[in-house]
Amino acid sequence: MVKRFALISGLVAALATPLAWTQSLQQSHHFETLRGLERFNKSQTLSLDDTSQAVDTVLSIKGVKIGDNVLQQAINLDDQGGNLGNIRGGTVSDKIKFSFYQPYENSRLEQKLELYFDKHNGFIKQITGTYYLQDAYMSISPIREQTLSAAVDKFGPPLTMQQAHDLSGQKNGDVPLDKFINSLQEQNQLHPLGLEYFQKRNITRSSKWVKGQQNYALMQSGFDRCYLWNSNSFNQILTFCFFDETGANPNSRGVEFDLHNFPVIQLIKDLGNPHAKLELSL
């Protein structure tokens, strides 16, 4: 019972807002000279409409939001006890990984947090948090249940079947994902990048919303099973996904949170490469 309480506490803490930074913004941090991050200024922020107003987003994983400065957030995660993983490709990297560990029964639970960022300006454009068990033969189901519960405590309930029916114009039963997408398009509720996201999820003709736990809408596409939170008419979404139990060794995949904010991602894309060379036409 004590182990279960400690695990639940750990899961909730992993989703919670981080503690105050132990170092001031002015103080230098060794990440500032780290290959892969040294090219970014931690004080740089993503602003709106050529003003100093910072981009504000609702959803976050471990206190990290889309549009945050990757260097400052890497320092933040380091201060929380994260173990720095790979920064892919050195000075042209666009991904950094942190790991957090805790004991679990006779194994170990790892929370891996991946920050994807634009390699030219250093702003985070996607956040993925995944829970793994060191022993891939142990059932991931208890972790899945408790992590979903912790997410509901923080973010509220995910999309429900009633909402899926209302948004699709369908009264009952499973909701085909293509019908759901088409209905959102007709209602002008999808950002172009959001449309692209759902179309990629719609990988088979059988992709659909089905009834999951507590009447939550469960996206079923291939072997993927996902619950979804959204804000501002699907401009920002968070998914919690796991592998169907009929698939090959679902325990080894773990369970995954994936955060996207499409308007902010568009702003980051629009920034482009500030160091792009002039193209000459001869």
Side-chain angles (χ1 to χ4, degrees), residues 112 130-140 243 247-255:
K112 182 175 71 174
T130 311
Y131 289 106
Y132 296 98
L133 283 173
Q134 188 176 45
D135 185 350
Y137 294 98
M138 291 183 66
S139 174
I140 196 72
F243 214 50
N249 197 5
N251 296 326
S252 63
R253 173 177 168 173
V255 293

Side-chain angles (χ1 to χ4, degrees), residues 35-271:
R35 180 171 170 82
L37 292 177
E38 62 185 357
R39 62 196 186 278
F40 302 125
N41 183 335
K42 66 180 179 181
S43 65
Q44 186 177 0
T45 59
L46 185 65
S47 60
L48 293 169
D49 301 323
D50 298 322
T51 69
S52 60
Q53 179 187 358
V55 174
D56 185 27
T57 55
V58 178
L59 302 175
S60 69
I61 299 177
K62 211 167 181 66
V64 182
K65 298 178 180 181
I66 307 298
D68 282 350
N69 182 301
V70 65
L71 174 56
Q72 184 57 69
Q73 283 299 344
I75 293 172
N76 183 17
L77 293 172
D78 180 62
D79 290 341
Q80 293 182 62
N83 298 301
L84 178 67
N86 62 310
I87 304 178
R88 196 167 57 191
T91 55
V92 294
S93 59
D94 57 4
K95 174 184 174 184
I96 184 172
K97 179 179 75 176
F98 284 86
S99 291
F100 299 81
Y101 300 98
Q102 68 183 89
Y104 178 72
E105 296 184 358
N106 295 320
S107 184
R108 183 174 69 165
L109 180 67
E110 175 188 5
Q111 180 197 8
K112 182 175 71 174
L113 192 64
E114 294 175 308
L115 309 180
Y116 298 82
F117 54 94
D118 70 305
K119 60 188 177 183
H120 303 302
N121 298 282
F123 298 116
I124 297 169
K125 59 183 180 181
Q126 180 183 339
I127 307 165
T128 301
T130 311
Y131 289 106
Y132 296 98
L133 283 173
Q134 188 176 45
D135 185 350
Y137 294 98
M138 291 183 66
S139 174
I140 196 72
S141 295
I143 305 297
R144 185 183 71 215
E145 299 300 321
Q146 293 173 65
T147 312
L148 176 61
S149 177
V152 172
D153 286 344
K154 179 176 181 183
F155 303 113
L159 186 77
T160 65
M161 278 308 293
Q162 183 60 60
Q163 289 173 313
H165 287 143
D166 292 344
L167 289 166
S168 66
Q170 183 173 310
K171 293 184 177 180
N172 50 54
D174 298 342
V175 179
L177 197 52
D178 55 357
K179 182 175 182 179
F180 181 80
I181 295 169
N182 291 338
S183 181
L184 288 181
Q185 283 185 276
E186 291 171 3
Q187 299 172 48
N188 295 317
Q189 292 206 48
L190 268 183
H191 188 279
L193 292 178
L195 173 61
E196 181 180 311
Y197 172 85
F198 276 115
Q199 287 174 335
K200 287 182 179 179
R201 286 286 186 181
N202 193 22
I203 61 173
T204 69
R205 296 189 66 178
S206 61
S207 296
K208 58 189 175 183
W209 293 105
V210 303
K211 183 178 179 181
Q213 294 185 27
Q214 302 181 51
N215 204 33
Y216 300 150
L218 181 65
M219 186 191 299
Q220 180 175 301
S221 186
F223 287 114
D224 268 334
R225 303 290 181 267
C226 301
Y227 293 103
L228 181 147
W229 289 258
N230 71 91
S231 63
N232 302 323
S233 298
F234 292 91
N235 276 334
Q236 184 177 191
I237 66 170
L238 171 71
T239 54
F240 174 58
C241 300
F242 51 94
F243 214 50
D244 182 69
E245 294 180 358
T246 62
N249 197 5
N251 296 326
S252 63
R253 173 177 168 173
V255 293
E256 179 180 278
F257 286 99
D258 207 15
L259 180 60
H260 301 262
N261 184 306
F262 304 115
V264 177
I265 293 171
Q266 186 64 56
L267 279 175
I268 293 171
K269 287 181 65 176
D270 291 345
L271 286 174

